[in-house]
Amino acid sequence: MIPCVDLVARCLRGIERLCAEELRGLGGEVTGVEHRLVACRAASPARLLTAGTVDDLFLLAARLEAVDHRRSALAEAAAQAARAPVEALVAAAGAVRPVPADAPFEVVASFLGRRNYNRFEIERAVGEALERTTGRRFVPGPAAPGGHPPLTFRVHLYDGGGFLGLRLSAEPLHRRPYRRTSLEGALHPPLAYAAALLAGIGPGDLVVDPCCGAGTMLLEAARCQPAARLLAADVSAAALRAAAGNGIGPLVVADAGCLPVAGGAGAVVVTNPPWDRRVAPAGSLRDGLGPLWAEVARIGDRAAVVLEELEGHAGAIRAAGLRAVSLDRVAVSGAWTTLGLLSR
Ligand SMILES: C[S@@+](CC[C@H](N)C(=O)[O-])C[C@H]1O[C@@H](n2cnc3c(N)ncnc32)[C@H](O)[C@@H]1O
């Protein structure tokens, strides 16, 4: 029997349930779901690296206990790290990617709540403890861009607990190689992937983003369902150039209130419409998103939408003949947005 390894996946706050479902589908046995974390066990951890909703995936080195807000917690975290079987985890990471025998490491720490120490003090305490027990070189942060060592240990502390993990991949999973061109307001890719999962895209489905920007929603839809047919539209030619630079197509310059798609096409709409704070609505959407909802109802069966305060559009959505099946608040870089599923 192949032994299972324990892992911790970090994801955006608000998509933990979708992330857990995705990991189950990839063969993970989910053992716990917490704030921004999904714990699981897997016999083939490399499969979990394909998860689109995961920001970062770690082999679990230790569950940290009694690491509270006091400064004495620094020594406690260091002592628990020193007892963790980290060389076995380095070998497991080495089974999925190249890891030099004498690979140095960094430690990245974060915590929730108020503490009498900062993240750099945790990184130093744990890094020095691991340096003593493994003989590997600890590279204190912050690392220069492109200057990260091959191994990254992650410490995360929260009320009553925490974990020490080793990143399984060389880079965080939320970094997508397709992202050659970005735009103001470009979406965090794992949230776009969560929207695609929520939309339940089937093979052959026509998937339309009427406000595609740099194309993140459709690029993630294609990753989620490679046999989907895509159509990217935006009123801005600059946005479409960015989408083309990221390899998405076909592309069409169009106003989201008047799409070149036949009525009753049964399309699946995935979109992140403009909202005033970062990306100004243009054309027919200047006075509100009513024309967009009407087009979604005309061409689509259902729509997965990412929009700040989507809840506030309930009246206009209903007036277009759509109903909100689910509305979930999601935190992205400290700001709240909503991931919603609308249906005709
Ligand atoms: C929030 S951005 C989309 C970002 C995109 N999801 C990404 O990751 O790059 C909203 C987009 O809506 C477009 N937009 C604004 N008004 C529009 C309209 N009336 N019709 C179509 N697109 C519009 C903007 O040009 C912008 O690219």
Side-chain angles (χ1 to χ4, degrees), residues 143-197:
H148 291 275
L151 298 172
T152 300
F153 287 96
R154 181 69 198 248
V155 179
H156 180 63
L157 304 176
Y158 45 91
D159 230 11
F163 77 86
L164 168 68
L166 173 65
R167 180 179 287 142
L168 184 56
S169 50
E171 296 278 337
L173 295 186
H174 63 79
R175 284 203 198 129
R176 304 296 209 241
Y178 64 70
R179 208 166 238 195
R180 292 182 292 271
T181 324
S182 196
L183 279 180
E184 176 71 15
L187 204 59
H188 187 64
L191 179 52
Y193 192 91
L197 272 185

Side-chain angles (χ1 to χ4, degrees), residues 179 181-189 192 209-218 233-240 242 246 254-259 271-275 278-286 289 292 306-307:
R179 208 166 238 195
T181 324
S182 196
L183 279 180
E184 176 71 15
L187 204 59
H188 187 64
D209 184 352
C211 303
C212 72
T216 317
M217 292 296 266
L218 288 178
D234 200 291
V235 78
S236 150
L240 290 177
N246 289 332
D255 189 298
C258 181
L259 294 168
T271 196
N272 166 217
W275 75 104
R278 279 177 79 185
V279 184
S284 73
L285 305 186
R286 264 204 198 98
L289 298 184
L292 168 68
V306 177
L307 180 62

